[in-house]
C-alpha cells in the first residue's frame, strides 16, 4: 500500500485547474452529515469536478441507497492539528522512532503538504438507506479515532459478509465515477489530487491546496 507520506506522492506535479469549491448541500442524490461541521463550513464543500463525480457515483448505487458525505474540504490548520493529535496518541502508546511515527500517523492522517482534503479533492463518504440511516460498513467512519483501527482498511479481515457487500457497493460506485480509495480508510475517496494522480495514467494532479 502506498501511504500519503510516500516521496512519490509529494513528487507528483500539480497543474492547478482553478476550479472553485462548491457546496455539497442541495446536490441531488447526496446527503451531507454535520458531524465534522467546522466554523467556516469547509466540511461541506468540494471542487466542482469532485461534486459532479459524487453525483455520478450516486447514480451507480442500487435503488434505495444514498451517498452520505461526512467531510469534504479541510483547512491546512485543521489538517495539521489532526496529524499532530494522532501522532501524540501514538507517542503515548510507545511509538518514538520518528520515521515509524510518521509512517503510522500517515496511515490515517495525511501530512498537510499532500493532504487531499486540503485540495478540496477528497470526500469521506458512506452509504445510507432511504431514511438517511448509515448502513453497516464493518466499522465507523474515522474509526482510528475510536480504537477501531482493525476495521478501517478497505479489505479488513473479520468484517461481516453484509458489511463486505456494502463496501463492495461503495467501491463500485465511487470507482465508476473516477475516484480512488486510500486503502487504509474505506471511507476516504479522492479525485484530482496528488495521490489520485500517482495511481492513474494522468500522473499530474489537477488540484492543489486551496
Amino acid at each position: 500500500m502506498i501511504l500519503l507520506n510516500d516521496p512519490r506522492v509529494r513528487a507528483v506535479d500539480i497543474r492547478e485547474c482553478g476550479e472553485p469549491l462548491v457546496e455539497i448541500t442541495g446536490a441531488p442524490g447526496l446527503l451531507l452529515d454535520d458531524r465534522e461541521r467546522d466554523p467556516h463550513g469547509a466540511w461541506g464543500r468540494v471542487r466542482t469536478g469532485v461534486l459532479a463525480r459524487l453525483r455520478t457515483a450516486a447514480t451507480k448505487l442500487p435503488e434505495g441507497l444514498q451517498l452520505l458525505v461526512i467531510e469534504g474540504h479541510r483547512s491546512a490548520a485543521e489538517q495539521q492539528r489532526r496529524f499532530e493529535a494522532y501522532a501524540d496518541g501514538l507517542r503515548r502508546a510507545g511509538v518514538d522512532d520518528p520515521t515509524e511515527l510518521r509512517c503510522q500517523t500517515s496511515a490515517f492522517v495525511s501530512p498537510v503538504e499532500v493532504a487531499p482534503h486540503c485540495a478540496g479533492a477528497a470526500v469521506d463518504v458512506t452509504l445510507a438507506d432511504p431514511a438517511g440511516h448509515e448502513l453497516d460498513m464493518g466499522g465507523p467512519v474515522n474509526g482510528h479515532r475510536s480504537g477501531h483501527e482493525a476495521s478501517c482498511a478497505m479489505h479488513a479481515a473479520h468484517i461481516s459478509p453484509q458489511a463486505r457487500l456494502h463496501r463492495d457497493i461503495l467501491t463500485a460506485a465511487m470507482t465508476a465515477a473516477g475516484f480512488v480509495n486510500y486503502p487504509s480508510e474505506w471511507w476516504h475517496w479522492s479525485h484530482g489530487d496528488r495521490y489520485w494522480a500517482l495511481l492513474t495514467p494522468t500522473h499530474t494532479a489537477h488540484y492543489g491546496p486551496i
Side-chain angles (χ1 to χ4, degrees):
M1 180 179 71
I2 299 174
L3 294 178
L4 278 159
N5 71 328
D6 192 300
R8 290 173 291 178
V9 179
R10 189 179 301 188
V12 171
D13 286 337
I14 301 173
R15 296 180 185 174
E16 173 61 56
C17 68
E19 284 182 9
L21 292 169
V22 290
E23 301 289 342
I24 297 169
T25 300
L30 300 176
L31 301 175
L32 179 63
D33 191 271
D34 66 358
R35 74 190 71 174
E36 298 294 336
R37 180 187 294 272
D38 63 282
H40 305 292
W43 108 105
R45 303 183 189 118
V46 290
R47 297 283 193 138
T48 305
V50 173
L51 180 58
R53 286 172 174 80
L54 274 173
R55 293 178 62 182
T56 296
T59 69
K60 305 294 184 182
L61 295 174
E63 185 176 355
L65 296 187
Q66 305 181 80
L67 287 180
L68 177 63
V69 179
I70 307 300
E71 187 174 18
H73 184 242
R74 189 182 299 153
S75 70
E78 175 61 13
Q79 185 70 30
Q80 187 65 33
R81 185 195 69 78
R82 295 189 191 188
F83 189 89
E84 292 172 355
Y86 195 70
D88 285 346
L90 291 172
R91 288 190 191 94
R92 290 193 295 272
V95 181
D96 51 16
D97 177 76
T99 300
E100 182 62 21
L101 180 65
R102 186 172 177 83
C103 181
Q104 289 195 33
T105 303
S106 298
F108 295 112
V109 188
S110 172
V112 67
E113 61 270 18
V114 296
H117 281 286
C118 294
V123 284
D124 293 338
V125 63
T126 188
L127 296 177
D129 66 17
H133 301 134
E134 291 180 56
L135 301 189
D136 175 16
M137 303 298 287
V141 174
N142 293 318
H144 59 286
R145 298 184 193 168
S146 55
H148 293 87
E149 286 90 347
S151 68
C152 290
M154 176 59 79
H155 300 292
H158 310 305
I159 66 172
S160 71
Q162 185 76 353
R164 177 67 61 202
L165 173 62
H166 292 159
R167 291 190 185 194
D168 289 345
I169 291 171
L170 179 63
T171 295
M174 296 297 284
T175 301
F179 290 94
V180 299
N181 172 247
Y182 190 48
S184 67
E185 300 178 342
W186 62 261
W187 59 87
H188 178 100
W189 296 84
S190 67
H191 176 91
D193 60 298
R194 282 169 152 170
Y195 192 81
W196 167 87
L198 185 64
L199 300 181
T200 64
T202 305
H203 299 308
T204 300
H206 305 321
Y207 306 134
I210 185 172

